[in-house]
Amino acid sequence: MTEIKEPEIIEKYLSKYNIRELFDTPDLPFQLIRYETGEMVNQYRPQEKYLKFIVEGTVAADELDIYGNTKRLMIESDLAFWGEVEICGRSFPNHLHEALETLYCIELPLEPLRDILFQDLKFMQYLVTRMSYSIYMLTNTIAYVNYSIEDRLIYYAKYMCPNHTFSGMELTAKNLQCSRRQLQRVIHKLLTEKKLLKTGWGTYQLIENI
């Protein structure tokens, strides 16, 4: 984990996604943090202390059960926002957030800004939108475990993978909670039905009109 302090680089990411436009409050102390592949983002700078806008890269959210096993909840990339629950004083201590590649986040320290942000109407409107999205994703994730492997794969590619593209048989099988062989059969079926497109070695993209 490294804090990037060059003002021009910070400004590049703020401008790319118009992040300042999400707030009425001027002169907020935005920070740019880089996480390396494999780093656990919320162990370094937990959402209880920092609001995060993912501005480049991909991060996975996993749930850790009492036996030490992990279940993939979602994969997000730019522009995702994390911290809509934590700003309200709640947290998910059994969640792990892993950088799947080099990850850049625009972050705001929460504690000195919490009361200010609660008075920021524009940000509160954005927060409500994000919360509704999180509830939608959670509802679908709960139902997801009862899907067939084919339906799981389609849902996974459509809603949890950037550009509807996934790669790596072992990782994908783990995320779908199935065996590699089961996954290969489903991929072959979807390729035959032209619902998947092979874009590279071990890389597949869901056809968008499904």
Side-chain angles (χ1 to χ4, degrees), residues 1-6 10 30-34 45:
M1 183 209 75
T2 306
E3 182 176 358
I4 309 298
K5 296 187 177 182
E6 288 82 356
I10 298 172
F30 294 106
Q31 302 170 347
L32 178 62
I33 308 297
R34 183 180 68 217
R45 293 166 69 92

Side-chain angles (χ1 to χ4, degrees), residues 43-106:
Q43 290 184 357
Y44 287 103
R45 293 166 69 92
Q47 272 84 261
E48 294 87 352
K49 296 184 178 180
Y50 297 92
L51 300 178
K52 292 181 172 64
F53 294 90
I54 299 169
V55 291
E56 186 176 314
T58 307
V59 62
D62 294 337
E63 183 180 52
L64 185 67
D65 67 21
I66 60 174
Y67 303 106
N69 301 312
T70 58
K71 178 177 70 175
R72 181 122 313 160
L73 298 177
M74 65 178 66
I75 296 175
E76 294 201 279
S77 58
D78 43 321
L79 175 72
F81 172 74
W82 283 2
E84 64 268 35
V85 173
E86 288 80 3
I87 194 174
C88 299
R90 300 290 186 266
S91 64
F92 298 100
N94 63 330
H95 284 190
L96 302 174
H97 300 153
E98 179 185 357
L100 299 181
E101 58 186 338
T102 302
L103 183 74
Y104 290 85
C105 295
I106 290 287

Side-chain angles (χ1 to χ4, degrees), residues 26-168:
D27 303 321
L28 289 168
F30 294 106
Q31 302 170 347
L32 178 62
I33 308 297
R34 183 180 68 217
Y35 299 93
E36 303 303 333
T37 304
E39 286 189 326
M40 294 299 176
V41 175
N42 58 330
Q43 290 184 357
Y44 287 103
R45 293 166 69 92
Q47 272 84 261
E48 294 87 352
K49 296 184 178 180
Y50 297 92
L51 300 178
K52 292 181 172 64
F53 294 90
I54 299 169
V55 291
E56 186 176 314
T58 307
V59 62
D62 294 337
E63 183 180 52
L64 185 67
D65 67 21
I66 60 174
Y67 303 106
N69 301 312
T70 58
K71 178 177 70 175
R72 181 122 313 160
L73 298 177
M74 65 178 66
I75 296 175
E76 294 201 279
S77 58
D78 43 321
L79 175 72
F81 172 74
W82 283 2
E84 64 268 35
V85 173
E86 288 80 3
I87 194 174
C88 299
R90 300 290 186 266
S91 64
F92 298 100
N94 63 330
H95 284 190
L96 302 174
H97 300 153
E98 179 185 357
L100 299 181
E101 58 186 338
T102 302
L103 183 74
Y104 290 85
C105 295
I106 290 287
E107 302 187 5
L108 280 172
L110 184 53
E111 285 310 318
L113 296 173
R114 190 190 302 268
D115 291 341
I116 294 172
L117 293 177
F118 276 140
Q119 300 302 315
D120 189 313
L121 179 59
K122 189 179 288 186
F123 178 66
M124 285 294 104
Q125 291 172 334
Y126 173 74
L127 203 64
V128 169
T129 301
R130 283 296 309 182
M131 283 184 169
S132 66
Y133 170 77
S134 296
I135 292 170
Y136 168 78
M137 290 300 296
L138 177 62
T139 302
N140 281 277
T141 300
I142 291 171
Y144 168 81
V145 297
N146 296 316
Y147 293 172
S148 69
I149 295 172
E150 179 178 334
D151 288 340
R152 276 186 244 170
L153 179 57
I154 291 173
Y155 178 88
Y156 172 74
K158 191 170 186 177
Y159 295 108
M160 300 173 72
C161 295
N163 300 318
H164 309 318
T165 300
F166 62 93
S167 61

